[in-house]
Amino acid sequence: MRDARLRVASALFAVSSVSTANTAQAQVITEFRSGITSGAFGANPFGITAGPDGNVWFTEEGFVTRIGRITPTGVITEFTGMTGASLEHIAAGPDGNLWFTEQIGDKIGRITPLGILTEFSVGGTSGGAGPWGITAGPDGNLWFTEANANRVGRMTPLGGVTHFGAGITPGAGLTGITAGPDGNLWFTETNANRIGRITALGSVTEFAVLSAFASPAFITAGPDGNLWFAEGNDRIGRITPLGTVTEFSVGITAGSTPTGIAVGPDGNLWFTEKTGPRIARITPLGVVTEFSTGMTAGSIPMEITAGPDGNLWFTEFIGDRIGRITTGPGAAATSLFPLPPCRVLDTRGPIGPLGGPSLQPAGTPDRAFTVAGTCGIPADAVAISVNMTVTDVAAGGFLSIYRGDGVPTATYSISFGTGQTRANNGILQLALDGSGSVKVQNSAPGTLDFILDVSGFLR
């Protein structure tokens, strides 16, 4: 049964020896192993994402399937009870929980930050649906790829499923999926060598990748308004919302097999090279730097994510470890300090630094809020634990909240529909320049009001 997934994305697991030329020393690399139960065949950590609780969550794809949680200081807890197998990708949902795919068993799992598990059937086909990639959509639902059924699925937070298959090349081998800056979902077709785009209503458009044998598998929304994806033929691809593809290979070691890709807190793209093993960085202009990370020999770094502590975290599929790599200046947060619930800002109030006016439509300058010094948030806080609320929404969309001295990461802190009042929990990183600020980017074509309540800080 594991072979079905391996056939779909065979490029992900081919291993070869490579040169270590063109590498640079990484700032800091730390591996965490204690707390991961390997079993007879290994735990095989695979998917990874930042959680709304200030921790990082990952899947264990091995024969004894588990969900893992790791704190910023490296303390690992595992959760069991899944009836499906081959846990693949995991994503933070719009409801404050974590959602993951169970490829064998045709299920989507939901786990709360406290570890309470619920499973939902996606409705298999004669050969199984094979859910693989998953992401939170701008419509407040979860979207996932079905590798075996050649479909894209949409699941509501209550578990209702809709399938979309029209317009997808037969045998495409759907793998990764991400929400795009254009309000659509973008996915990779590993076998068909294409990138797919699907609207919230299910209309599909496919775009061909330029080079042969690219086998794109992992994809993310970039800080530049484009989509970025890793190619198994030693390239990183970029596709605009209109479908123009550019590929970058200069600086990538031959045979390195780029795999996972994510936006870092520094505004660059970071990706894993599983046959290095290495972690690499590519700027929005396409300049690549590879880092000799000092990972355990023989490990295979797989998926990577930006953590709530300002670092990058990645899974080591072979080696049963979780890795952490720093990306720039600023100390990582090590402890969470609770605060009495307190309202930091409310744009419904009088005009001021933490009040009105309402957030303006997409295309207007992002608004900055200095939160340090309010509600007990100290000047040396690096992140805050919050509840964010949107209301008086004129048109549907999403908010991206990022550190005040950074650039938008194209990740969505909260999504909403027209007329909705919605809330979500999260960890917001503060500016590294000491200003204690965050910025808010509104993607919606209309105004809305934004409310932020704090319950703790990290430093």
Side-chain angles (χ1 to χ4, degrees):
M1 290 181 289
R2 284 165 61 98
D3 289 345
R5 203 241 332 139
L6 294 178
R7 285 195 299 270
V8 169
S10 59
L12 296 178
F13 294 94
V15 179
S16 61
S17 61
V18 298
S19 166
T20 58
N22 192 34
T23 59
Q25 181 63 40
Q27 291 174 285
V28 178
I29 179 71
T30 308
E31 294 179 310
F32 301 94
R33 174 69 179 80
S34 178
I36 296 179
T37 305
S38 290
F41 300 97
N44 302 138
F46 191 86
I48 192 166
T49 193
D53 56 347
N55 299 310
V56 174
W57 291 72
F58 59 95
T59 61
E60 297 180 19
E61 195 253 24
F63 284 92
V64 182
T65 52
R66 298 177 178 88
I67 296 294
R69 180 186 66 202
I70 183 168
T71 69
T73 56
V75 178
I76 293 173
T77 305
E78 294 178 312
F79 301 92
T80 60
M82 300 81 193
T83 59
S86 194
L87 308 188
E88 305 296 347
H89 289 266
I90 186 168
D95 57 349
N97 298 311
L98 288 305
W99 292 74
F100 57 94
T101 53
E102 302 178 31
Q103 192 193 42
I104 298 176
D106 295 332
K107 294 180 174 67
I108 300 294
R110 180 185 68 200
I111 188 167
T112 71
L114 297 178
I116 299 173
L117 173 71
T118 307
E119 294 176 305
F120 303 93
S121 173
V122 305
T125 63
S126 59
W132 205 77
I134 190 167
T135 191
D139 58 350
N141 296 311
L142 284 306
W143 289 75
F144 57 95
T145 56
E146 300 177 43
N148 298 343
N150 216 57
R151 303 180 303 200
V152 173
R154 182 184 65 203
M155 177 172 283
T156 71
L158 297 178
V161 179
T162 305
H163 303 279
F164 304 96
I168 300 174
T169 298
L174 276 57
T175 43
I177 188 168
T178 192
D182 56 349
N184 298 312
L185 288 303
W186 291 74
F187 57 94
T188 50
E189 301 180 16
T190 300
N191 296 345
N193 223 42
R194 291 176 169 88
I195 302 298
R197 182 185 66 201
I198 184 170
T199 69
L201 297 178
S203 177
V204 172
T205 305
E206 295 179 314
F207 303 93
V209 176
L210 294 179
S211 61
F213 309 109
S215 301
F218 292 79
I219 187 169
T220 191
D224 57 348
N226 299 311
L227 289 302
W228 291 73
F229 53 94
E231 301 180 21
N233 62 349
D234 304 328
R235 291 172 171 84
I236 296 298
R238 181 186 67 200
I239 185 170
T240 71
L242 296 178
T244 301
V245 175
T246 306
E247 294 173 302
F248 302 92
S249 60
V250 176
I252 300 177
T253 299
S256 60
T257 319
T259 306
I261 187 167
V263 178
D266 59 348
N268 295 308
L269 288 301
W270 290 73
F271 59 97
T272 58
E273 294 181 3
K274 71 177 197 294
T275 51
R278 286 179 291 267
I279 304 296
R281 180 187 66 211
I282 183 169
T283 71
L285 296 178
V287 179
V288 173
T289 306
E290 294 179 312
F291 297 95
S292 177
T293 64
M295 279 181 281
T296 301
S299 66
I300 295 183
M302 189 57 64
E303 194 166 12
I304 189 167
T305 190
D309 59 346
N311 297 314
L312 274 298
W313 292 76
F314 58 93
T315 52
E316 297 184 34
F317 184 81
I318 299 299
D320 291 347
R321 294 174 174 86
I322 301 299
R324 181 185 67 200
I325 183 171
T326 61
T327 61
T334 59
S335 299
L336 174 64
F337 298 87
L339 290 171
C342 179
R343 181 145 296 176
V344 175
L345 66 93
D346 188 341
T347 62
R348 300 173 300 177
I351 292 177
L354 298 174
S358 301
L359 295 186
Q360 297 305 296
T364 58
D366 299 349
R367 186 170 175 189
F369 297 94
T370 298
V371 299
T374 63
C375 290
I377 303 171
D380 62 350
V382 298
I384 52 176
S385 175
V386 301
N387 179 270
M388 58 198 89
T389 304
V390 293
T391 191
D392 302 323
V393 175
F398 56 86
L399 295 184
S400 296
I401 308 174
Y402 59 100
R403 72 172 201 255
D405 62 343
V407 296
T409 62
T411 56
Y412 310 138
S413 302
I414 186 169
S415 59
F416 45 83
T418 303
Q420 283 189 323
T421 294
R422 298 199 71 217
N424 195 15
N425 297 318
I427 300 290
L428 302 182
Q429 187 183 9
L430 303 183
L432 299 178
D433 61 8
S435 64
S437 61
V438 297
K439 284 186 177 179
V440 182
Q441 181 181 72
N442 180 18
S443 78
T447 61
L448 60 90
D449 281 307
F450 178 58
I451 304 163
L452 192 69
D453 299 300
V454 66
S455 59
F457 65 90
L458 291 91
R459 66 179 177 192

